[in-house]
Amino acid sequence: MTTHKGRVVSDLSVSAYGYSAGTGQSEQRPFGDDAGDGWGNRLHSWMFETPELRQAELDRLASVGAFVMGRNMFGPVRGPWDRRWKGWWGDDPPYHAPVFVLTHHARDPQPMEGGTTFHFVTDGIGSALRQAREAAGDRDVSIHGGATTVDQYLAAGLIDVLRLHIVPFTLGAGTRLFDGVPPLDLEQVESRAADSVTHVTYRVLR
Amino acid sequence: MTTHKGRVVSDLSVSAYGYSAGTGQSEQRPFGDDAGDGWGNRLHSWMFETPELRQAELDRLASVGAFVMGRNMFGPVRGPWDRRWKGWWGDDPPYHAPVFVLTHHARDPQPMEGGTTFHFVTDGIGSALRQAREAAGDRDVSIHGGATTVDQYLAAGLIDVLRLHIVPFTLGAGTRLFDGVPPLDLEQVESRAADSVTHVTYRVLR
C-alpha cells in the first residue's frame, strides 16, 4: 500500500475552447441529450446564482439592438417549416428586439410579444449580419449562437468581442466552439471569477 | 452601406475545454507545427510575464514530489529507444525529483543533474502513479502531461486537482484536453485573472 498523502494534480496550459451543447437535440431537450439534470441547465444556471448576476445578464441583453441565431438555436424543426414553431422561449422571448434566424427555408417574419420579431434569413450569414446591423443602429449586434453559428462568423472575421462563461464540467461530446475555425488571436480584455463560473471577455484580433 | 456603430459580440456558455499542443511533433517543435512564433511558446509564455509569476511556477514545481508524463512529452523518439534521448530540458531539467515516463519500451533509469531522474514505466498508468506516490511521500504528484496522458488519468478517476491556464488564442487542430474522457463534474476552487491569461483551479468530483 502507498503511504502517499499528497494530492494528484495536473497543470495544463490550454487554448480557449469549449463545448456549448450536447448531441441529439429535441423539443424536450434543446441542448441535446443529457447525463442527469441537463447540460443546458448546468451551462446556464450561473445566470441565476444571484440577483446581481441575473440583472447583469438582463442588462447585457438590453444593450443589444439585434440578434442573429442559427436555426437549431431557434428550434428543433428541421427542413421546411411544417410546424408553426415560435422558439423555445414562450410568447414573450427575452430578446425584445429583432432576431435574425439563419435557415435554408423561407418563412414570413414571426412577431412575438414584448418587441421580439423573428426574421428568417435564407441568403447567408453576411446578409443576416447586414440586416441585424441596420436594425441595431448604435447598439451591439449579438451573434447569439449556437456554437456552429458563432464559428461561422468567427471564421469569416465578423465578430469583435467574444465572451465565454466557462462552466465547471466537461461534456464527452457535442457542439464545440472553434471547431473548424482557423487559428485566431484573441486579446483577454477581462476575466472575472464568480462563485462557480469564470467569465472571460476576448477581443478578436484581425 | 450600413450605419451600424455598435460592436458585434458573442456570448457563450461553454464547458471547460482546451487544446494543449498542435500536431506534427518533432525534435525542433516539441509542441508540434506552429503558425508563426510557436504554439508552445505562446501557451507557456505567461509564466514569464512577471518575476512573480515565474517564481510562483517554480514554487509550484518545488511542491511536487514526483511527476508522471507521457512519452511524447518526454521526447520525439517513437518505438524502441534507439537514441539516448534525455528530454527537452538540457542536463538540469526543472523537475528536481523523480519523473515517471509512460512508455511501451523498457529502458534503464536516466539520472540527470539537479536531482531529476527519468524512470521508464512499461506496465501502465496505475503502476506509474503508484511509483510516483511512493516517491512523493507527503508532497503532490503531478500528472504533468501531455493532454493525452492527463485524459487517461482523468478517465480513470485518478486526478484530484486540475489547474488550467487559459491562453487567449485558438488552435485549429491538435491534442485536446478531455478528448474521450466521460463527462466530469468539476468544482471551481479558484479563478484568477492575470494580464493575458486566466488561471482556473478545479477539484475533480467523484
Side-chain angles (χ1 to χ4, degrees):
Chain A
M1 297 303 296
T2 177
T3 57
H4 181 241
K5 294 192 172 59
R7 303 163 306 170
V8 180
V9 304
S10 186
D11 217 292
L12 278 187
S13 290
V14 295
S15 65
Y17 213 90
Y19 279 109
S20 69
T23 57
Q25 184 193 52
S26 68
E27 184 165 348
Q28 288 69 42
R29 295 173 166 180
F31 293 91
D33 300 329
D34 56 55
D37 60 342
W39 290 343
N41 289 342
R42 297 178 65 195
L43 275 173
H44 298 93
S45 61
W46 59 267
M47 286 183 203
F48 307 101
E49 275 185 4
T50 66
E52 290 73 24
L53 278 173
R54 173 79 182 139
Q55 191 56 49
E57 283 311 296
L58 290 174
D59 291 348
R60 192 174 53 68
L61 280 180
S63 75
V64 171
F67 297 83
V68 176
M69 67 173 63
R71 169 141 184 190
N72 292 8
M73 184 165 183
F74 177 67
V77 184
R78 303 290 183 265
W81 295 104
D82 51 6
R83 295 176 50 187
R84 200 99 199 119
W85 179 264
K86 297 181 180 181
W88 310 97
W89 305 276
D91 292 332
D92 183 4
Y95 302 110
H96 312 300
V99 177
F100 296 88
V101 178
L102 297 160
T103 170
H104 294 293
H105 300 274
R107 175 174 161 182
D108 288 337
Q110 174 70 58
M112 308 290 290
E113 293 173 19
T116 300
T117 299
F118 294 113
H119 299 270
F120 300 88
V121 180
T122 56
D123 52 350
I125 66 169
S127 169
L129 180 57
R130 265 192 307 277
Q131 295 180 58
R133 279 182 183 279
E134 275 168 30
D138 290 350
R139 295 199 289 166
D140 290 342
V141 167
S142 171
I143 307 300
H144 208 56
T148 308
T149 297
V150 174
D151 282 348
Q152 290 178 45
Y153 281 98
L154 281 172
L158 294 173
I159 290 183
D160 301 310
V161 173
L162 187 63
R163 294 196 200 102
L164 301 184
H165 310 280
I166 301 169
V167 182
F169 70 104
T170 71
L171 293 172
T175 306
R176 240 176 337 213
L177 188 64
F178 302 131
D179 251 4
V181 177
L184 287 177
D185 274 331
L186 307 170
E187 179 191 346
Q188 178 176 293
V189 178
E190 193 192 359
S191 172
R192 208 157 38 83
D195 273 3
S196 68
V197 168
T198 295
H199 308 271
V200 189
T201 302
Y202 294 111
R203 196 161 66 87
V204 183
L205 305 180
R206 298 282 178 267
Chain B
M1 296 302 297
T2 177
T3 58
H4 182 240
K5 294 192 172 58
R7 303 163 305 170
V8 179
V9 304
S10 185
D11 216 292
L12 278 187
S13 290
V14 296
S15 65
Y17 214 89
Y19 279 110
S20 70
T23 56
Q25 184 193 52
S26 68
E27 184 166 348
Q28 288 70 41
R29 296 174 166 179
F31 292 92
D33 300 330
D34 56 55
D37 60 341
W39 290 343
N41 289 342
R42 298 177 65 195
L43 275 174
H44 297 94
S45 62
W46 59 267
M47 287 183 203
F48 307 101
E49 275 185 3
T50 67
E52 291 72 24
L53 279 173
R54 173 80 182 137
Q55 191 57 50
E57 283 311 296
L58 290 173
D59 291 348
R60 192 174 52 70
L61 280 181
S63 75
V64 172
F67 297 83
V68 175
M69 67 174 62
R71 170 142 182 188
N72 292 8
M73 183 166 184
F74 177 67
V77 185
R78 302 290 184 265
W81 295 103
D82 51 4
R83 295 176 49 188
R84 200 97 199 122
W85 179 264
K86 297 181 181 182
W88 310 96
W89 306 276
D91 292 332
D92 183 6
Y95 302 111
H96 312 300
V99 177
F100 296 88
V101 178
L102 297 160
T103 170
H104 294 293
H105 300 274
R107 175 173 160 183
D108 288 338
Q110 173 70 59
M112 307 292 289
E113 292 173 20
T116 300
T117 298
F118 293 113
H119 300 270
F120 300 89
V121 180
T122 57
D123 52 351
I125 66 168
S127 168
L129 180 57
R130 266 192 305 278
Q131 295 179 57
R133 279 181 183 279
E134 274 167 29
D138 291 349
R139 295 199 287 167
D140 290 343
V141 168
S142 171
I143 306 300
H144 209 55
T148 308
T149 297
V150 174
D151 282 348
Q152 290 178 45
Y153 281 98
L154 281 172
L158 293 173
I159 290 183
D160 302 310
V161 173
L162 188 63
R163 294 196 199 101
L164 300 185
H165 310 280
I166 301 169
V167 182
F169 70 104
T170 72
L171 293 172
T175 306
R176 237 172 343 209
L177 188 64
F178 301 131
D179 250 4
V181 177
L184 287 177
D185 274 330
L186 307 170
E187 179 191 347
Q188 178 176 294
V189 178
E190 193 191 359
S191 172
R192 207 157 37 84
D195 273 3
S196 69
V197 167
T198 295
H199 308 271
V200 189
T201 302
Y202 295 112
R203 196 161 66 87
V204 183
L205 305 179
R206 298 281 179 268

